[in-house]
């Protein structure tokens, strides 16, 4: 009746993100995700080499979230394959252990 609280069993919510450690020390491109993939985490163990990480295209990826963390001692530059990141052409992680999280709206990437 009125004023009574009830609970409904919910279906499971999605999957855990994939965690990838890139210790190649070279430039890398994050592959376009499958439609079912909502989030990816990239740990960039670049040592003393400056590297560029290219984000997937924004087309058909609205809602996709990427997290990148720099583990090495040199810069990690993050560049979108298409669109911008909050209006910028790229973002640079210039401090060891810095992290960056962004999501695409299908047109651009947005830092969250």
């Amino acid at each position: 009746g009125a004023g009574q609280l009830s609970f409904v069993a919910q279906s499971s919510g999605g999957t855990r993100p994939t965690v990838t450690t890139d210790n190649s020390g070279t430039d890398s491109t994050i592959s376009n995700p499958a439609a079912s993939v909502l989030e990816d985490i990239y740990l960039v163990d670049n040592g003393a080499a400056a590297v560029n990480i290219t984000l997937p295209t924004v087309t058909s990826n609205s809602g996709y979230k990427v997290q990148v963390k720099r583990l090495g001692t040199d810069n990690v530059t993050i560049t979108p394959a298409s669109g911008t990141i909050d209006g910028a052409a790229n973002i640079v992680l210039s401090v060891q252990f810095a992290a960056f999280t962004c999501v695409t709206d299908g047109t651009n990437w947005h830092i969250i």
Side-chain angles (χ1 to χ4, degrees):
Q4 289 184 331
L5 182 63
S6 62
F7 296 91
V8 176
Q10 298 294 314
S11 61
S12 63
T15 60
R16 294 180 182 178
T18 300
V19 179
T20 302
T21 300
D22 179 353
N23 57 10
S24 67
T26 61
D27 295 348
S28 299
T29 298
I30 298 173
S31 300
N32 276 330
S36 61
V37 176
L38 302 176
E39 177 179 2
D40 282 310
I41 299 170
Y42 283 81
L43 305 175
V44 183
D45 192 357
N46 56 317
V51 297
N52 185 69
I53 303 297
T54 303
L55 297 174
T57 182
V58 293
T59 306
S60 300
N61 286 323
S62 183
Y64 174 66
K65 181 169 77 171
V66 177
Q67 299 180 59
V68 179
K69 182 171 179 115
R70 173 186 147 183
L71 301 178
T73 57
D74 206 338
N75 289 348
V76 173
T77 301
I78 302 161
T79 306
S82 61
T84 62
I85 303 171
D86 280 357
N90 61 49
I91 297 293
V92 179
L93 299 179
S94 58
V95 177
Q96 188 174 22
F97 304 116
F100 162 85
T101 302
C102 65
V103 65
T104 180
D105 63 2
T107 303
N108 289 296
W109 292 94
H110 302 278
I111 299 171
I112 55 172

